[in-house]
Amino acid sequence: MSIDQAINQDGPPAQDKRRPSRRTVFALVPLAALATTGVGVGAARLLRPPDVPATPLGALGSLDGGLARIHGIIPLETDSWKPPEPVATLKSPIASGGHRVRVLLELTASKASGVRFESTDFAVGEIVGFRAEPLWASQQSAIISLGENLQVTFIFEIPNKAIQLVLEGPGQLRLALGTAHHSNP
């Protein structure tokens, strides 16, 4: 008698026909959810590079062709300064919980290529997605040649809370605004 015949005579080997217990199933559900979350977070980290850390207030930050630094952030409610010409956007009421600040930016061309300045390249941002475009800028555009400086004044409406905000510019320029200009903690 062959082995095949012997197996067929005795029948197929016994198989365990039990289903997984409820306890096993309930243990697998959170593990599957955790794995799915991990895959999603991992994919998000790979698709979105981490933000470049902000340059501290007053320090020099690099931009294409030169350097930039903030040398002043002044709340308009404590300052008598006004733009040289009337600005329609500044006549509108300030949003609840906000205030307007004057940001003084200095740009220096340190490379032969110079610095190309466009006011629309700048905005104030925060980690959680807040973004404020300039309400006004003293200069709209300029080309700064090697060794030259450009002083630009911006007016932004930002939250009046002690939160970390940055002036974002072209490329990866991120200049910290600090928190001293806020009157609300």
Side-chain angles (χ1 to χ4, degrees):
M1 178 155 69
S2 72
I3 295 179
D4 289 336
Q5 291 172 342
I7 291 175
N8 287 338
Q9 269 186 348
D10 295 338
Q15 292 181 351
D16 190 5
K17 294 185 178 184
R18 292 187 324 167
R19 296 172 53 176
S21 70
R22 285 186 140 186
R23 180 186 234 178
T24 305
V25 171
F26 285 135
L28 291 176
V29 169
L31 288 174
L34 184 62
T36 303
T37 303
V39 167
V41 169
R45 296 280 296 166
L46 289 174
L47 296 175
R48 183 181 180 274
D51 287 333
V52 174
T55 302
L57 180 61
L60 293 171
S62 294
L63 73 154
D64 192 26
L67 302 169
R69 79 177 179 101
I70 294 175
H71 63 92
I73 303 160
I74 304 119
L76 290 183
E77 63 263 19
T78 62
D79 188 18
S80 61
W81 181 90
K82 298 212 181 306
E85 70 278 346
V87 179
T89 55
L90 298 180
K91 292 181 181 178
S92 63
I94 297 172
S96 177
H99 74 146
R100 292 182 178 148
V101 293
R102 181 166 49 123
V103 176
L104 307 175
L105 177 69
E106 179 181 359
L107 302 165
T108 303
S110 61
K111 296 183 181 169
S113 60
V115 173
R116 181 184 234 17
F117 169 77
E118 295 289 335
S119 64
T120 56
D121 290 342
F122 291 85
V124 171
E126 179 198 13
I127 294 172
V128 296
F130 168 79
R131 186 167 170 83
E133 303 296 326
L135 298 175
W136 179 83
S138 61
Q139 186 131 3
Q140 298 306 311
S141 65
I143 296 176
I144 310 161
S145 300
L146 177 64
E148 293 181 346
N149 290 346
L150 176 66
Q151 307 286 329
V152 181
T153 301
F154 288 105
I155 296 177
F156 291 98
E157 187 170 323
I158 60 175
N160 193 10
K161 293 181 181 173
I163 55 177
Q164 294 296 326
L165 297 173
V166 294
L167 179 65
E168 299 168 343
Q172 294 186 341
L173 180 66
R174 294 170 45 85
L175 302 171
L177 297 181
T179 59
H181 56 90
H182 298 294
S183 57
N184 290 340

